[in-house]
Amino acid sequence: MSGLQEQSAAIVNDAASFDHRSDSGPLRGVVPGWYRVRMSLRGQALQEFDLPVAPQRIDELARSAPDSEALRVHAPAGRFLLFCGAGALSLAFEATLFDLLAEARYPAPRPRRARGGSFIAVLGGQRAASCYAWPPGEELVVKDATVPQAMEVGRLLARLHQLGETHPAAVADPCDAAALLARSPSGPERETLETTIRAALPPLPSGAGHGGLIPSRALFIGDRCSAVLPSGLSGSGALILDLAETAVGWMAGANRPSAALRALTSGYQALRRLLPEEKDAFFAALRFAAARDGARRLATGRSGALDALRAVDSVGELEARAAAG
């Protein structure tokens, strides 16, 4: 047995304790096989990025798909964001994008290189991992976000889209909402989301996108956004959909969703004006983005699958058109 296998086996087989918990519950799964596979991948990923296989603490963040993980790792060298299990192409595309952003002095962490020198660690099969140092700043509570803060997020997303024009590659959007729903339990929520997702968007200007600059991916020091975190969902797609994904994240849970939408869109258009066809498709993009958020929630067992869609519908098409200018 190799050293890596021995260390992974030690993590899997040791007694349960509070050291192996995250903010959202125990890491040990109900099904032993599921637990062993997940922990084996984690062990490989951690070792590939020269992090302790048994770190001080691991916080499980919201997953974007059933077969992927987003983790905040607490180690003696600091805190790190680790994506594990997602597709290699998407993670490599995102890491290259964030390297470009860091090079341009954009407030984003540079990807940490794996032992082999690349931006990602291939874990076997279609599995891969990427890692970033966790930057300074605090996550906002959505209902407490101010207009200047929302505008700052919009400006940063527009700047990211501008810098992304130099990305040397293109990959398909990694979020297949229809496939996620197919893996979700049937019921009224799924039926509502399917209706919206079937209404596909028309061809629109595309480029490198963030994957949704939602509140959990923007760290603040006062009104200044100190860091933009990667999403694990970056890819090539319609830029207006990336704006919609971002807006939906700030609208859901806001005291005034329409104000959040106007502030964020205003900040975005301060740097990148929306084209006429993007303005025409904005409300449809908001509903599609909200349905994709719901599909991710259903597929990963999280609550609130229809919250984002309700927030968009509460604002309405006329207000969305006004926000788009």
Side-chain angles (χ1 to χ4, degrees):
M1 181 181 289
S2 69
L4 173 59
Q5 289 173 321
E6 290 176 353
Q7 289 172 311
S8 298
I11 297 172
V12 170
N13 296 323
D14 68 355
S17 75
F18 285 104
D19 292 332
H20 289 170
R21 295 182 66 87
S22 70
D23 288 347
S24 58
L27 299 183
R28 188 177 299 279
V30 175
V31 181
W34 176 92
Y35 174 77
R36 290 172 186 273
V37 171
R38 293 281 289 275
M39 291 307 293
S40 176
L41 284 174
R42 285 186 188 181
Q44 291 178 55
L46 289 165
Q47 207 170 55
E48 281 289 336
F49 290 103
D50 290 323
L51 297 175
V53 177
Q56 297 167 327
R57 173 179 157 190
I58 293 181
D59 301 329
E60 291 186 348
L61 308 178
R63 288 184 289 143
S64 59
D67 55 356
S68 69
E69 289 186 296
L71 309 168
R72 180 168 52 217
V73 179
H74 299 249
R79 295 187 298 170
F80 299 88
L81 174 61
L82 181 71
F83 293 108
C84 180
L89 283 177
S90 177
L91 290 183
F93 178 91
E94 180 169 70
T96 303
L97 173 62
F98 270 71
D99 187 57
L100 288 171
L101 296 178
E103 192 67 26
R105 299 183 181 275
Y106 183 92
R110 193 183 294 272
R112 186 178 175 94
R113 290 189 180 272
R115 286 184 170 180
S118 65
F119 285 145
I120 65 168
V122 179
L123 307 179
Q126 298 299 313
R127 305 282 185 167
S130 61
C131 183
Y132 303 80
W134 193 277
E138 299 295 331
E139 182 182 331
L140 293 180
V141 177
V142 178
K143 64 181 182 63
D144 296 333
T146 65
V147 167
Q149 288 169 332
M151 292 182 69
E152 172 81 349
V153 170
R155 283 193 293 268
L156 284 172
L157 182 66
R159 180 63 176 149
L160 183 148
H161 287 169
Q162 291 173 334
L163 293 171
E165 293 175 1
T166 63
H167 200 295
V171 301
D173 188 329
C175 182
D176 186 338
L180 287 175
L181 283 180
R183 303 175 63 174
S184 304
S186 59
E189 290 182 323
R190 174 172 163 174
E191 292 175 4
T192 299
L193 295 172
E194 283 177 334
T195 300
T196 304
I197 286 169
R198 280 198 297 267
L201 296 174
L204 293 163
S206 62
H210 177 274
L213 185 44
I214 60 177
S216 60
R217 297 168 190 154
L219 303 182
F220 277 82
I221 298 176
D223 280 341
R224 180 178 66 86
C225 183
S226 58
V228 169
L229 298 175
S231 66
L233 293 169
S234 290
S236 307
L239 298 179
I240 192 67
L241 182 56
D242 202 31
L243 173 60
E245 292 264 13
T246 301
V248 162
W250 292 87
M251 292 166 67
N255 291 327
R256 295 176 57 210
S258 60
L261 177 63
R262 280 181 175 266
L264 195 141
T265 308
S266 175
Y268 183 88
Q269 294 206 84
L271 290 185
R272 179 186 177 269
R273 298 294 299 177
L274 295 178
L275 299 173
E277 60 268 34
E278 292 177 309
K279 294 179 181 180
D280 291 341
F282 191 38
F283 184 66
L286 286 169
R287 296 196 87 248
F288 189 82
R292 291 215 307 186
D293 175 76
R296 283 192 289 264
R297 289 177 178 273
L298 272 187
T300 55
R302 288 182 285 153
S303 62
L306 298 181
D307 288 355
L309 194 55
R310 291 188 182 116
V312 171
D313 287 340
S314 73
V315 170
E317 185 170 5
L318 290 178
E319 180 63 21
R321 283 184 173 273

